[in-house]
Amino acid sequence: MARFMSRLWCKVESSGRHVPIILNAVLVFSITAEVSYLVLVEAPLEPEQKKTDWSTMWKAMHLFAQYFMLGNITWNASLFVKTNPSIRGVFLGGDTLGQGWRYCYNCETHTPPRCSHCYDCNVCVLRRDHHCVFFGQCVGFHNYRYFLTCLFFMWAGLLYAVVMNAEVFIVILKEGVTFHSVMLLLVPWIMLVSGQVTARAFAFAFIADTCVVGFLLVAAFLFFHVVLMLRGQTTREWYSTRQPYNLGTLANVRECLGNYWYICWLCPLIPSPLPGDGINFKVTGSLEPMK
């Protein structure tokens, strides 16, 4: 019985790791569907503009931009999950260990600087930044580019969705602000349960609110990681007053995004080899804590 419960719990735990990924996918595709509806049906907002050639071109450009961002989000997320950031299959060096090396008792091996053990992945990760709960994967040396680029396009996509929804709100405000419309935007769930709005109006208001909240959260997260990249730090190194791996702004960006950092963010298919190997790092200061 105990063995059966243990196996059952392992299966439930394994399935639970995929729940955040599924929820993220549902959210991204729901926002994409809602914005596509706004572009194809609602916009342009002026009736006399809907029959012009500019209307067709306008919709085509918006749809291209929208699905370009969606493609980058899904592709970068896929590469992020598939890329192994851990020490598995990596030759860590010979017998001579340099400054900053530690011994991991869980993995039973010496690990290089900036490498630490993740108890969720149960393995040491090269240049570990943090464990991303939303993707069930650690952010490390080999997949940091895909993580940061995916985050950027999520921010751009949410900004685009906020702007599109804002245009509809402006039209509503021109017609007059009512208590009903304000409550719909602030508490859509209560309005739906009380029968004050239709399911279509609720879905529109709920996704619009989600876009605004998501944009603010992703913007803060993206800003934080951009600052970390420019300073040559990881999330684990953020609280340290020392910056021994700070090589300068341009070199720090190249360390994270690769040699072709200025163009690789446009598409995950663009190769951009990293200058390092995740084991040896250029040091500009002491790795030992200040006394």
Side-chain angles (χ1 to χ4, degrees), residues 127 141 144-145 148 229 251-258 274:
R127 193 188 175 275
F141 177 78
Y144 191 78
R145 166 198 169 181
L148 196 62
M229 178 178 63
N252 290 338
V253 174
R254 189 181 294 111
E255 286 286 325
C256 293
L257 302 182
L274 296 170

Side-chain angles (χ1 to χ4, degrees), residues 121-219:
C121 300
N122 195 29
V123 69
C124 285
V125 177
L126 296 174
R127 193 188 175 275
R128 181 172 179 264
D129 190 276
H130 69 283
H131 183 84
C132 185
V133 179
F134 294 107
F135 292 106
Q137 173 81 297
C138 260
V139 181
F141 177 78
H142 291 291
N143 61 1
Y144 191 78
R145 166 198 169 181
Y146 304 122
F147 167 76
L148 196 62
T149 310
C150 181
L151 202 63
F152 168 76
F153 279 103
M154 286 180 66
W155 169 80
L158 287 168
L159 175 62
Y160 175 78
V162 169
V163 172
M164 290 299 299
N165 283 281
E167 292 183 1
V168 178
F169 293 153
I170 290 173
V171 174
I172 296 175
L173 293 176
K174 288 181 179 179
E175 297 175 355
V177 181
T178 63
F179 178 77
H180 184 274
S181 62
V182 173
M183 291 298 292
L184 175 61
L185 294 176
L186 295 179
V187 284
W189 281 102
I190 296 179
M191 297 294 286
L192 177 66
V193 173
S194 60
Q196 300 295 319
V197 296
T198 62
R200 177 177 176 272
F202 163 78
F204 173 79
F206 178 75
I207 294 178
D209 291 345
T210 303
C211 290
V212 175
V213 176
F215 168 75
L216 295 176
L217 292 176
V218 173

Side-chain angles (χ1 to χ4, degrees), residues 30-267:
S30 298
I31 293 175
T32 302
E34 190 255 0
V35 176
S36 297
Y37 171 81
L38 293 179
V39 172
L40 293 173
V41 180
E42 299 293 339
L45 300 174
E46 299 298 334
E48 60 273 9
Q49 295 180 355
K50 292 189 175 183
K51 298 181 180 180
T52 62
D53 294 335
W54 169 246
S55 173
T56 304
M57 188 181 302
W58 184 91
K59 291 181 180 181
M61 290 189 299
H62 276 268
L63 288 175
F64 173 78
Q66 177 186 353
Y67 285 96
F68 175 76
M69 290 184 287
L70 176 64
N72 269 283
I73 292 172
T74 53
W75 214 319
N76 278 289
S78 175
L79 290 175
F80 168 75
V81 173
K82 291 180 179 179
T83 303
N84 178 27
S86 71
I87 62 173
R88 289 172 181 158
V90 178
F91 179 68
L92 297 179
D95 299 330
T96 304
L97 302 180
Q99 187 181 23
W101 283 71
R102 296 181 177 88
Y103 186 81
C104 177
Y105 290 93
N106 298 92
C107 297
E108 298 181 346
T109 183
H110 287 91
T111 58
R114 314 183 83 180
C115 178
S116 64
H117 190 84
C118 175
Y119 291 95
D120 293 302
C121 300
N122 195 29
V123 69
C124 285
V125 177
L126 296 174
R127 193 188 175 275
R128 181 172 179 264
D129 190 276
H130 69 283
H131 183 84
C132 185
V133 179
F134 294 107
F135 292 106
Q137 173 81 297
C138 260
V139 181
F141 177 78
H142 291 291
N143 61 1
Y144 191 78
R145 166 198 169 181
Y146 304 122
F147 167 76
L148 196 62
T149 310
C150 181
L151 202 63
F152 168 76
F153 279 103
M154 286 180 66
W155 169 80
L158 287 168
L159 175 62
Y160 175 78
V162 169
V163 172
M164 290 299 299
N165 283 281
E167 292 183 1
V168 178
F169 293 153
I170 290 173
V171 174
I172 296 175
L173 293 176
K174 288 181 179 179
E175 297 175 355
V177 181
T178 63
F179 178 77
H180 184 274
S181 62
V182 173
M183 291 298 292
L184 175 61
L185 294 176
L186 295 179
V187 284
W189 281 102
I190 296 179
M191 297 294 286
L192 177 66
V193 173
S194 60
Q196 300 295 319
V197 296
T198 62
R200 177 177 176 272
F202 163 78
F204 173 79
F206 178 75
I207 294 178
D209 291 345
T210 303
C211 290
V212 175
V213 176
F215 168 75
L216 295 176
L217 292 176
V218 173
F221 203 47
L222 176 63
F223 176 77
F224 174 68
H225 276 280
V226 169
V227 172
L228 287 178
M229 178 178 63
L230 297 179
R231 295 179 56 173
Q233 290 182 309
T234 63
T235 300
R236 300 180 70 254
E237 298 165 351
W238 169 255
Y239 298 101
S240 175
T241 56
R242 298 174 297 108
Q243 300 180 30
Y245 302 104
N246 189 355
L247 307 177
T249 301
L250 189 60
N252 290 338
V253 174
R254 189 181 294 111
E255 286 286 325
C256 293
L257 302 182
N259 294 327
Y260 301 105
W261 58 270
Y262 47 87
I263 194 174
C264 71
W265 59 273
L266 286 173
C267 179

